[in-house]
Amino acid sequence: MSNVKNVIALTQETVANSTTGDVNTDDNTLFVDKSANRVGIGTNTPSVTLESTGTIQARNLINIDANGSGGTSLEIGTGRTGDNYSYIDLIGDTTYSDYGFRIIRGNTGSNTFSKLDHRGTGDFELFTAHNSRILFKTNSTNRAVISANGNVGIGTTTPS
């Protein structure tokens, strides 16, 4: 994490004091193009505002943790102090340029909605690749199940 802090501090200093230039920090290269408002980490040809060839962490907004004790995680909205939407958009075609599939959390506090949002006329699939059930739960209790053999049960976890 100290490398990220060093790069951010170095980025601020370099942007303030130069127009364009390469800056070497240990084995990482930082490239700043102030006229285009672009920063490259590990690349000297950034095509967007911030481009990195490695892992990126933005505190209080997005946290991608591949080395934590809890495994790999992606958190969006970490450290938030107010209510707002958090979502992941998947854009897989040119028909829906904003999103074709969205995972969204609402903006009205702790009791807001969460939704999977599928757009288009193609099938929306819940899929298990192996011999496993699909469970539907409310209040942490099984309410409905689709068994691996296709039986459907409501109020039971072993439909026949």
Side-chain angles (χ1 to χ4, degrees):
M1 192 62 212
S2 64
N3 284 343
V4 173
K5 289 178 186 174
N6 291 340
V7 167
I8 291 170
L10 189 54
T11 301
Q12 292 169 340
E13 179 183 343
T14 304
V15 169
N17 297 324
S18 69
T19 302
T20 298
D22 285 315
V23 179
N24 293 314
T25 59
D26 298 328
D27 61 345
N28 298 318
T29 299
L30 174 66
F31 180 83
V32 177
D33 183 346
K34 189 174 180 182
S35 64
N37 292 321
R38 292 182 181 164
V39 175
I41 302 171
T43 177
N44 62 1
T45 56
S47 59
V48 293
T49 304
L50 175 61
E51 183 174 340
S52 173
T53 59
T55 302
I56 299 171
Q57 181 175 27
R59 291 196 177 268
N60 300 328
L61 181 61
I62 300 172
N63 182 22
I64 302 170
D65 184 2
N67 300 314
S69 60
T72 301
S73 65
L74 168 63
E75 299 173 1
I76 299 174
T78 301
R80 186 169 279 175
T81 58
D83 298 330
N84 207 330
Y85 292 102
S86 289
Y87 52 90
I88 299 171
D89 287 343
L90 301 178
I91 304 165
D93 58 66
T94 57
T95 303
Y96 302 107
S97 59
D98 50 352
Y99 72 93
F101 183 74
R102 174 177 279 178
I103 302 169
I104 187 168
R105 177 72 177 166
N107 68 341
T108 57
S110 61
N111 295 316
T112 193
F113 71 91
S114 297
K115 177 170 71 168
L116 300 176
D117 188 353
H118 166 77
R119 294 173 77 184
T121 58
D123 293 339
F124 175 73
E125 297 181 22
L126 295 177
F127 174 78
T128 65
H130 297 96
N131 190 23
S132 56
R133 303 176 300 166
I134 297 175
L135 301 176
F136 296 89
K137 296 182 177 190
T138 61
N139 199 26
S140 299
T141 302
N142 289 330
R143 303 298 183 185
V145 62
I146 302 172
S147 67
N149 65 5
N151 291 338
V152 177
I154 297 176
T156 178
T157 59
T158 56
S160 56

